[in-house]
Amino acid sequence: MKSDQMSTAGILLLSHGTLCEGVLDAMRVLGCDTEQICAIPLDIDSELDAYTQQVSQAIDALDNGGGVLVIVDLLGGTPFNRACMLREEKNIEVLAGMSLPMCISALDFRRTEALATLAETCKREAKEAVINVKDLL
């Protein structure tokens, strides 16, 4: 990679249950480039320290110098809390409120935006994706 090129941010999806895997699967079905992206579900039987270690290792594997955007399902939930615990030692941004449009935006903009800007863009794009159909009619 040339020194003037921006490193691509990795993307880590975390959720209670398999929601994150379903979002990743949907992105693949839609033909999205899912390189440098990973999904880690929190199962009902997950041991929390082991889960945190798994998340930490995934962040390390996904970070090629551009950091990692961690997208979680729920503000204040265990995946969110565990990701936030790692913010001091890892180059990550954490977004809560996972949605398919948010994740697709992350893929669309991660090659052209720095990590902090990417997080803000995804937040904005996710808000704009929520539409009441009657407003379109």
Side-chain angles (χ1 to χ4, degrees):
M1 177 182 307
K2 294 179 184 175
S3 60
D4 61 341
Q5 287 183 323
M6 183 181 309
S7 295
T8 301
I11 300 170
L12 178 59
L13 308 178
L14 305 176
S15 68
H16 296 85
T18 60
L19 174 65
C20 60
E21 293 174 325
V23 168
L24 181 55
D25 182 56
M27 291 189 312
R28 289 182 178 131
V29 168
L30 292 170
C32 297
D33 173 10
T34 56
E35 181 181 331
Q36 201 182 347
I37 184 169
C38 178
I40 303 175
L42 175 69
D43 298 320
I44 197 162
D45 297 325
S46 294
E47 200 282 317
L48 295 184
D49 288 337
Y51 181 76
T52 305
Q53 184 65 26
Q54 187 179 10
V55 169
S56 178
Q57 290 172 347
I59 291 168
D60 291 343
L62 291 168
D63 189 355
N64 68 2
V68 176
L69 180 62
V70 181
I71 302 175
V72 302
D73 58 349
L74 187 63
L75 178 70
T78 300
F80 172 83
N81 292 333
R82 294 295 159 150
C84 286
M85 288 172 54
L86 298 169
R87 287 189 72 231
E88 293 296 319
E89 62 188 74
K90 308 283 184 187
N91 182 19
I92 63 173
E93 291 282 337
V94 181
L95 289 178
M98 178 186 299
S99 69
L100 184 56
M102 176 191 285
C103 294
I104 291 172
S105 293
L107 290 175
D108 287 346
F109 293 102
R110 70 182 175 156
R111 297 191 194 288
T112 59
E113 295 184 359
L115 185 59
T117 305
L118 176 62
E120 288 304 311
T121 298
C122 291
K123 186 172 102 175
R124 183 188 70 246
E125 294 276 324
K127 287 179 182 178
E128 292 174 4
V130 176
I131 298 171
N132 186 329
V133 173
K134 76 176 184 174
D135 295 338
L136 299 176
L137 303 176

